[in-house]
Amino acid sequence: MPSYRAPRGTRDLLPEVRAGFSRLEGIARSLAARYGYREMEIPLFEQTAVFERGIGEATDVVEKELFRIAPRTEDSESWALRPEATAGIVRAFVQHGMQTLPQPVKLTVVGPMFRYDRPQAGRYRQFWQWDAEVIGDPGPAVDAEVIEMGRRFYVEAGVPDVQVLINSIGDAACRPAYLETLKAYFSRHAAELPELERRRLELNPLRLLDSKDPAMAALVAAAPRISDHLCEACAAHFESVRAHLDACGVPYRIESTLVRGLDYYARTAFEFYRRGAEGQQQALGGGGRYDGLVELLGGRATPAIGFALGLDRVLLALEEVGAETVTEAPPLAVVAGADPADTVSRLRVASLLRAEGLSVRAELAPRKLGRQLETASKEHAHFAVIIGDELAEGNVQLKDLEAGTQRLVPLADLARELARASKSHHHG
Ligand code: HAM
């Protein structure tokens, strides 16, 4: 007997959970519209080079977590499932010549991402992000606007105690010297470095600060900090980002070891955490400025910033605090009938009402009327439309299941009557 299961690290979003996602997506879309972002779609997979170049070859996401699609023999192109949306959005920005549009271009994507990660609570191989990008604005004001929008998402979603951690990781002017300092520091401690980190030291020393290895904690804590090595321009930029956040009343904490896991970042970097869960690799969201990425993917040098918020983790956080995430609306009416066999009339009347925009369920099982009404009450339908002999004269019985009243209504008026009831009621 076959027993199939969803692949490890993925999950079926059953209707209750899907409804929770839809609610979050609705909040994301509403915020995006209010802040002037336009929604778009990019493919679920791209040429592997988009991610390798964009995100960086020496990152966890590309090195270990990329879902590579086995190439078909007839073509030699190499593809991978998208581990995030930023690289794809920037690829699209360049491909469609969006640098000729009025700048900045504000784009948003909501959808699934794929990372071949070790599955655990809050870490999936397919997960959902709300991604927002502002391309063509060097900041610093827009940096604060982006962070403020992200924080507002958690407020509107009802996740309590979300903390904003921010840092500046410098730019092409000051980072190289800092990286040398960092490399020198970790080289002095090479003997204490785990194998993976020693290898990274050459390729990408910044990533050591973000190490998940507990053996690194003390070394990282004592490492030289980028905040002490910013050039004047980066320091002024960061100071202004903070001033704009202060002005909007966005509380934040400066986290000088925050470097983010992707290579494209420069200057502003930030993450959102539940208070008390900061060190646990369980960010609710994160983002930053990526002034070099457009050029790296073949466009004109264009500054940009954005974030991605993990919807799975937001839902988990809501569950943890016991927040009610969704209420699914029952049907306004159930179309029932005195003659169990007359499914034709029931389906026809239900179809008429649905064409008028009403949410109704047709009782299509050949059951006795009493059973049909019992089910309708149990599912909290407000009305039952009961079809009987009166249909010959063009009438049906409209039973208010909540009030327990019943009256004869011409079929021609039924949709209007129900629509009025649904407006003056919580249904609909
Ligand atoms: P990221 O930090 O890699 O950034 O991911 C953003 C968020 O996606 C994380 O904070 C987390 O909530 C969620 N997430 C990541 N991996 C998983 C997973 N395996 N399971 C569940 N949730 C996950 C980015 O993706 C950047 N593209 C953000 C960005 C946009 N930067 C600039 N623009």
Side-chain angles (χ1 to χ4, degrees):
M1 196 177 62
S3 145
Y4 300 114
R5 302 182 66 81
R8 198 163 118 78
T10 72
R11 48 201 195 122
D12 301 307
L13 306 182
L14 297 181
E16 315 83 73
V17 178
R18 187 58 183 98
F21 267 80
S22 297
R23 174 181 166 270
L24 295 180
E25 288 168 353
I27 295 170
R29 292 197 166 100
S30 155
L31 278 170
R34 271 180 270 163
Y35 283 73
Y37 290 74
R38 298 174 74 204
E39 188 171 3
M40 68 176 293
E41 295 288 346
I42 48 170
L44 296 190
F45 60 96
E46 296 270 354
Q47 285 178 290
T48 311
V50 169
F51 304 125
E52 287 172 342
R53 282 190 69 85
I55 298 167
E57 305 213 37
T59 58
D60 275 354
V61 168
V62 167
E63 202 175 37
K64 297 193 289 188
E65 298 169 2
L66 207 55
F67 257 102
R68 294 167 194 275
I69 298 172
R72 301 171 67 96
T73 44
E74 65 264 31
D75 59 68
S76 52
E77 249 182 313
S78 144
W79 295 305
L81 299 184
R82 62 184 192 190
E84 54 111 52
T86 312
I89 291 173
V90 168
R91 191 266 313 137
F93 178 91
V94 173
Q95 180 179 338
H96 302 287
M98 288 193 242
Q99 69 276 0
T100 63
L101 299 175
Q103 306 284 301
V105 178
K106 296 167 116 179
L107 300 168
T108 184
V109 163
V110 186
M113 309 294 156
F114 306 86
R115 295 185 192 178
Y116 194 77
D117 216 342
R118 194 166 57 79
Q120 52 190 286
R123 194 171 286 282
Y124 307 104
R125 289 180 173 173
Q126 175 173 347
F127 58 97
W128 274 258
Q129 282 186 345
W130 171 34
D131 185 281
E133 311 288 353
V134 184
I135 307 177
D137 187 327
V142 80
D143 300 41
E145 187 188 54
V146 164
I147 294 169
E148 195 262 340
M149 177 170 78
R151 183 167 174 281
R152 190 166 301 282
F153 174 83
Y154 300 109
V155 171
E156 296 197 359
V159 186
D161 295 330
V162 173
Q163 184 155 48
V164 182
L165 305 187
I166 63 169
N167 194 21
S168 173
I169 58 170
D171 66 2
C174 52
R175 197 148 31 148
Y178 170 68
L179 292 183
E180 285 311 312
T181 311
L182 197 62
K183 216 186 251 183
Y185 166 80
F186 280 119
S187 297
R188 282 199 300 279
H189 298 277
E192 302 155 58
L193 295 179
E195 167 64 28
L196 175 71
E197 311 298 344
R198 204 173 315 148
R199 201 154 48 79
R200 280 209 171 125
L201 184 53
E202 282 313 310
L203 292 171
N204 197 349
L206 207 56
R207 301 284 299 117
L208 270 63
L209 293 180
D210 200 32
S211 172
K212 294 168 189 167
D213 196 320
M216 293 287 293
L219 273 182
V220 168
R225 312 201 147 193
I226 180 79
S227 42
D228 300 327
H229 294 79
L230 293 178
C231 61
E232 241 171 73
C234 284
H237 190 277
F238 191 38
E239 195 183 315
S240 181
V241 172
R242 277 154 27 217
H244 283 86
L245 287 172
D246 292 337
C248 304
V250 176
Y252 56 85
R253 201 176 87 196
I254 297 171
E255 186 63 52
S256 57
T257 58
L258 179 78
V259 292
R260 307 278 300 134
L262 317 168
D263 277 358
Y264 49 60
Y265 290 112
R267 294 193 163 171
T268 313
F270 56 92
E271 282 175 343
F272 300 99
Y273 281 92
R274 283 295 304 289
R275 203 178 299 275
E278 290 92 341
Q280 301 174 14
Q281 303 292 336
Q282 287 284 4
L284 293 173
R289 179 160 282 290
Y290 51 93
D291 292 344
L293 184 56
V294 177
E295 196 174 14
L296 196 64
L297 293 182
R300 228 179 25 219
T302 309
I305 183 167
F307 66 55
L309 312 187
L311 301 186
D312 307 75
R313 291 188 188 171
V314 171
L315 223 50
L316 279 176
L318 287 171
E319 269 167 35
E320 261 167 44
V321 299
E324 174 93 34
T325 57
V326 260
T327 45
E328 285 176 276
L332 175 65
V334 169
V335 181
D339 175 5
D342 186 10
T343 49
V344 166
S345 298
R346 299 204 286 279
L347 184 58
R348 186 168 65 84
V349 170
S351 164
L352 288 174
L353 297 174
R354 288 162 177 163
E356 295 299 322
L358 299 170
S359 155
V360 304
R361 184 173 70 76
E363 182 58 65
L364 297 179
R367 301 191 291 168
K368 288 213 176 87
L369 180 59
R371 296 291 306 281
Q372 297 179 34
L373 294 178
E374 243 170 62
T375 315
S377 294
K378 259 193 217 143
E379 67 188 307
H380 301 294
H382 188 174
F383 294 100
V385 173
I386 304 170
I387 296 168
D389 297 338
E390 309 89 338
L391 191 63
E393 286 89 56
N395 294 320
V396 295
Q397 294 285 350
L398 181 57
K399 186 178 172 75
D400 186 325
L401 294 167
E402 288 175 8
T405 55
Q406 184 169 327
R407 63 198 167 92
L408 205 63
V409 173
L411 190 56
D413 298 343
L414 183 61
R416 207 173 332 121
E417 295 268 339
L418 283 171
R420 194 167 50 215
S422 109
K423 247 184 235 132
S424 63
H425 194 270
H426 60 272
H427 296 296

